[in-house]
């Protein structure tokens, strides 16, 4: 006996499911097109691709994510799309569990800072998506588009996906910058208290240089040497270091400080917040009364280097 009204409810959920999953993939895909830095870092952390293949692999995944989002929303060839999507979601769930449980990554890398979630929350969301895709497979509804319309829309979507990712890739290759940074860590914005609870009162007062570091980052080694000099000299703002509180970094935290003889305070920050704020290390911001006045993400300003060189050559470095 079929419950009255049940087929209509299942039709609604089936359509809503493909719209929901497709919307998630489309939004996160577009976010990665606009600012691919954090996703590229995520792919690099997986350590499954040669170094030269990391960026191309990341953009291939971004293009596919954008394409799948559009295809799901408009239910393009659903008899093939939905089973393929189910397999992809299961594979992504396995990858998330493997990469986070082994300490290679701190999260799934799916939401690129748009949504801060734990690995367990990511797996829970994936299980919901899998359930929705399963329903769409076993309870098909009428297609929104005819077969001919689906073909042309697929061609349009593929073209759009390739074009947008190519533009983003070219901008990154030419300038090293994203089309538009999604991070809230921008010039003229205020430092937010929820980012670093244990040191915010200090950061909101006076001038500070806040530097995001990683013990495994080779460029950070050079920066630490320079930052120690800056922190000692009264002509520069005080330096505050920040590291991710991931399992790997947490284990190396104290040893790293002692090994490098770091003379400025260093704080641990939640991995999800760290990934939200910076896409690469080292990155630094100059705070004035809690407001971000400068951001250094490709190197220190030339005038800062020259000023430091003057102090070092003239042996003007003094302790605070």
């Amino acid at each position: 006996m079929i419950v009255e009204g049940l087929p209509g409810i299942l039709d609604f959920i089936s359509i809503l499911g493909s719209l929901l999953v497709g919307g998630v993939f489309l939004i996160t895909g577009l976010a990665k097109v606009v600012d691919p830095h954090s996703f590229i870092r995520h792919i690099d952390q997986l350590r499954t691709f040669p170094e030269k293949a990391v960026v191309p692999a990341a953009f291939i995944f971004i293009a596919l994510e954008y394409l799948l989002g559009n295809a799901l929303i408009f239910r393009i060839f659903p008899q093939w799309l939905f089973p393929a999507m189910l397999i992809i979601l299961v594979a992504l769930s396995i990858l998330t569990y493997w990469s986070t449980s082994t300490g290679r990554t701190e999260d799934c890398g799916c939401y690129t800072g748009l949504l801060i979630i734990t690995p367990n929350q990511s797996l829970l969301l994936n299980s919901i998506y899998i359930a929705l895709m399963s329903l769409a497979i076993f309870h098909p509804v009428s297609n929104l588009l005819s077969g001919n319309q689906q073909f042309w829309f697929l061609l349009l979507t593929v073209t759009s996906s390739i074009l947008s990712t190519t533009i983003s890739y070219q901008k990154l290759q030419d300038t090293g910058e994203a089309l538009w940074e999604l991070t809230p860590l921008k010039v003229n914005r205020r430092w937010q208290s929820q980012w670093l609870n244990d040191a915010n009162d200090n950061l909101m007062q006076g001038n500070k240089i806040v530097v995001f570091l990683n013990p495994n980052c080779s460029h950070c080694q050079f920066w630490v040497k320079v930052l120690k000099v800056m922190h000692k000299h009264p002509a520069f703002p005080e330096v505050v270091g920040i590291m991710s509180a991931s399992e790997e970094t947490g284990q190396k935290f104290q040893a790293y400080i002692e090994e490098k003889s770091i003379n400025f305070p260093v704080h641990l920050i939640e991995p999800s917040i760290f990934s939200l704020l910076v896409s690469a290390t080292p990155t630094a911001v100059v705070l004035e009364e809690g407001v971000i006045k400068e951001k250094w993400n490709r190197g220190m300003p030339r005038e800062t280097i020259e000023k430091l060189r003057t102090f070092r050559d003239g042996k003007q470095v003094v302790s605070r």
Side-chain angles (χ1 to χ4, degrees):
M1 178 179 178
I2 299 177
V3 178
E4 185 177 353
L6 183 58
I9 295 174
L10 292 178
D11 287 350
F12 174 76
I13 296 176
S14 180
I15 294 174
L16 182 64
S18 62
L19 287 174
L20 174 63
V21 179
V24 169
F25 269 67
L26 179 59
I27 292 171
T28 55
L30 283 173
K32 293 182 181 76
V33 168
V34 169
D35 188 355
H37 282 112
S38 61
F39 188 66
I40 292 171
R41 183 179 65 174
H42 180 82
I43 295 298
D44 185 43
Q45 289 173 337
L46 290 174
R47 300 195 292 274
T48 55
F49 296 97
E51 184 177 350
K52 292 183 178 179
V54 168
V55 174
F59 274 95
I60 289 173
F61 286 132
I62 292 170
L64 287 173
E65 186 172 6
Y66 177 85
L67 173 62
L68 287 170
N70 278 293
L72 284 167
I73 289 173
F74 291 94
R75 303 173 74 89
I76 299 175
F77 301 114
Q79 66 274 24
W80 304 104
L81 175 64
F82 292 166
M85 196 66 219
L86 184 62
I87 295 172
I88 290 171
L89 286 168
V90 171
L92 289 175
S93 299
I94 294 172
L95 179 62
T96 296
Y97 176 78
W98 167 75
S99 66
T100 55
S101 63
T102 57
R104 290 178 180 241
T105 63
E106 297 162 355
D107 53 35
C108 67
C110 315
Y111 301 98
T112 190
L114 294 176
L115 183 63
I116 301 173
I117 60 174
T118 65
N120 287 338
Q121 290 170 335
S122 174
L123 292 173
L124 176 60
L125 284 174
N126 280 0
S127 67
I128 295 173
Y129 303 154
I130 288 170
L132 291 173
M133 283 296 96
S134 299
L135 176 61
I137 292 171
F138 294 108
H139 188 80
V141 296
S142 300
N143 293 335
L144 300 174
L145 305 173
S146 67
N148 189 52
Q149 289 173 327
Q150 291 179 59
F151 171 78
W152 286 108
F153 195 87
L154 177 61
L155 184 61
L156 177 64
T157 301
V158 169
T159 303
S160 173
S161 175
I162 294 174
L163 180 62
S164 60
T165 50
T166 299
I167 292 172
S168 179
Y169 176 81
Q170 198 61 51
K171 176 70 179 294
L172 187 69
Q173 293 295 103
D174 292 344
T175 67
E177 298 177 355
L179 293 175
W180 184 55
E181 288 190 354
L182 296 176
T183 173
L185 203 68
K186 294 181 179 179
V187 174
N188 294 326
R189 290 192 179 182
R190 290 191 65 82
W191 182 269
Q192 299 299 309
S193 59
Q194 64 266 29
W195 293 342
L196 189 61
N197 293 325
D198 63 341
N200 275 307
D201 289 342
N202 186 39
L203 292 182
M204 304 304 272
Q205 300 171 5
N207 297 347
K208 303 287 187 300
I209 298 177
V210 181
V211 189
F212 294 81
L213 302 167
N214 185 332
N216 299 319
C217 165
S218 59
H219 292 294
C220 293
Q221 316 299 332
F222 168 75
W223 273 50
V224 164
K225 295 177 182 178
V226 177
L227 292 170
K228 289 195 295 183
V229 176
M230 295 175 67
H231 185 68
K232 290 171 63 178
H233 203 285
F236 291 95
E238 295 180 42
V239 176
V240 177
I242 294 180
M243 294 185 185
S244 169
S246 64
E247 182 178 352
E248 182 181 8
T249 303
Q251 292 172 347
K252 295 181 178 181
F253 177 69
Q254 196 59 44
Y256 183 77
I257 292 175
E258 294 175 359
E259 177 190 349
K260 303 300 179 184
S261 301
I262 294 177
N263 59 350
F264 51 86
V266 182
H267 303 273
L268 291 174
I269 192 172
E270 286 297 322
S272 56
I273 301 296
F274 191 95
S275 298
L276 171 66
L277 297 179
V278 296
S279 57
T281 55
T283 295
V285 292
V286 179
L287 299 182
E288 294 182 9
E289 303 297 334
V291 177
I292 301 170
K293 293 299 183 180
E294 296 181 45
K295 183 176 179 180
W296 309 341
N297 54 11
R298 298 189 66 189
M300 294 184 182
R302 182 178 296 275
E303 57 270 23
T304 300
I305 298 297
E306 291 300 324
K307 191 176 181 180
L308 277 166
R309 184 175 291 115
T310 299
F311 288 141
R312 291 181 64 93
D313 293 345
K315 297 181 180 180
Q316 300 179 43
V317 175
V318 297
S319 299
R320 287 187 182 273

